[in-house]
Structure formats: structure tokens, C-alpha cells
Amino acid sequence: MVKDPRPGRVKTRLAADIGAIPATWWMRHQLRGLLRRLRDPRWDLVLAVAPDGAVASPVFPHDLARVAQGQGDLGDRMGRILKNRPTRSIPPGGNAGPRRPAPQGGAIAPPSGRTRPSHICPGTCIIGADIPGITRAHIARAFQALRGSDAVFGPAPDGGYWLIGMRGVRPPPPGLFQGVRWSTNHALSDTLSTLPNHRIALVDTLRDVDTAADLP
């Protein structure tokens, strides 16, 4: 999930510390590096973009599929992603390009049109774009954890999480994300409470960047 990296639209808390232009350039540099690291034939990489009108922005790589996050709070938008499981298999020499379906979300998911390695479990993982430490190994471990779990989380030190994933064989519960106190140290525990009777796995703890103190 990524916001259009333009001044005033992205990393506003970081911008309050270092200025809107430097914060925007940091986000663009971070996004380029993240997408370069996460390209992998074991999964589809889809950008869920906000605001919806930025789905056609030239800032994003032209060969990656893009979908609009849609309306609502963070829980509404992530719930849409997990329900719809948007994927995109890119044919050889093809161009994924931006897509404009009914507003929904996007994420990392195992490829729908290619042979799936046996160690990757069908499902969808959502990540944020502002976590500098994410690597392909982190994503692979999350999918591996889903083989024996209904949901997987990548905790953050501040009580939130940088990744949530769910197996595709079971739809998200209707109450998923209800009452979650976003942007607080209760975000992960609140989310876990909306998943009763689900097998939960936790993977690596990674830090996101909210303020200048978080910069690597």
C-alpha cells in the first residue's frame, strides 16, 4: 500500500521534522529501493495506490499493476485487499500497466498464472511502503508461515505491524479491523482480537519510518 509520493500527501509527520520536500524525496527513494528488492517470480507484486486518482501516476514503475485503495479508514482499505486478493500475472514482454477496476486494494500475492513453488502458500500479504528493512526473505517467511496458519503478522516495535497476511482458503471475518486503534501501540493487539478462532503466526519485527528519529 502506497500513497502518491508528492509534497503534502506523504509522510506528513516526517515532513514536520525535516520539511515536505526532503520527506517526499526520501519516500520516493525508499519506494524505488523497496520495489527493486521485492520483485520475485514467487509472487505477484501489485501497488495499492492512494488517493485513487494517483493510480495512473508516472511516479510508479510502468510495468507494475496498480489498483486504487478505495475509500474508508485503513481497516476498510486493507479488508478490501484481503477480500478481493488482486493479483496480476505479467506475460513475457507484457506490460501490467495501471488498471481501473472498481475501487479495491492491492498487495503481494502468489502468482495466479505461473507455476507456484510448493513452499509458497496461496494467500495475500499486505505491506506498507515505508519500512526500509523489508527484503524478499521477509516476504517468503510470511508466506511460509501461512502454510500452517490462517493469518500472519509482522510486528513493529511501536505496537503496530508492517505486514498482515491471510490464507486464501478462508475469507476474512466480517468483524476484521473493527475497533482497531490505528497509529497507537494497540494496533496489533486490537487487530488480533478481531480474529477469534484463527491460527496466528508472527514473523520478523521491523521498524517503519514516521519521524526523523526513525530514519536509518
Side-chain angles (χ1 to χ4, degrees):
M1 300 180 76
V2 60
K3 291 183 179 179
D4 186 17
R6 297 183 184 278
R9 292 185 177 181
V10 69
K11 305 311 298 177
T12 54
R13 291 172 60 189
L14 180 62
D17 291 341
I18 67 174
I21 299 300
T24 302
W25 278 113
W26 179 87
M27 189 65 243
R28 290 193 181 195
H29 176 77
Q30 157 64 17
L31 181 61
R32 284 196 297 268
L34 178 71
L35 296 179
R36 184 173 60 250
R37 293 194 305 275
L38 294 190
R39 291 176 183 266
D40 194 290
R42 291 174 291 178
W43 48 70
D44 286 331
L45 187 60
V46 181
L47 299 180
V49 180
D52 291 356
V55 71
S57 172
V59 169
F60 305 117
H62 71 278
D63 63 324
L64 287 182
R66 285 164 260 163
V67 294
Q69 289 184 20
Q71 303 303 307
D73 67 11
L74 181 59
D76 295 329
R77 289 176 280 132
M78 290 201 300
R80 208 172 287 125
I81 293 171
L82 294 171
K83 179 180 179 180
N84 294 319
R85 297 187 62 218
T87 62
R88 175 65 165 176
S89 293
I90 305 171
N95 183 353
R99 296 181 295 164
R100 292 180 179 269
Q104 56 179 355
I108 299 172
S112 56
R114 298 186 291 271
T115 301
R116 179 180 294 114
S118 61
H119 65 282
I120 293 293
C121 174
T124 299
C125 287
I126 303 171
I127 63 170
D130 59 351
I131 301 94
I134 299 177
T135 66
R136 286 189 294 271
H138 291 117
I139 302 302
R141 280 194 288 272
F143 279 123
Q144 288 167 3
L146 279 178
R147 295 190 68 188
S149 305
D150 299 310
V152 60
F153 289 85
D158 61 5
Y161 47 96
W162 62 271
L163 174 144
I164 176 175
M166 297 194 74
R167 296 187 69 183
V169 297
R170 183 174 184 178
L176 181 63
F177 303 125
Q178 286 186 3
V180 174
R181 289 167 284 183
W182 301 111
S183 301
T184 74
N185 60 355
H186 304 288
L188 177 56
S189 59
D190 285 351
T191 304
L192 292 176
S193 71
T194 69
L195 289 166
N197 305 315
H198 282 65
R199 295 170 297 170
I200 306 296
L202 300 179
V203 289
D204 307 83
T205 297
L206 296 176
R207 183 183 300 275
D208 62 355
V209 172
D210 291 322
T211 67
D214 301 320
L215 289 173

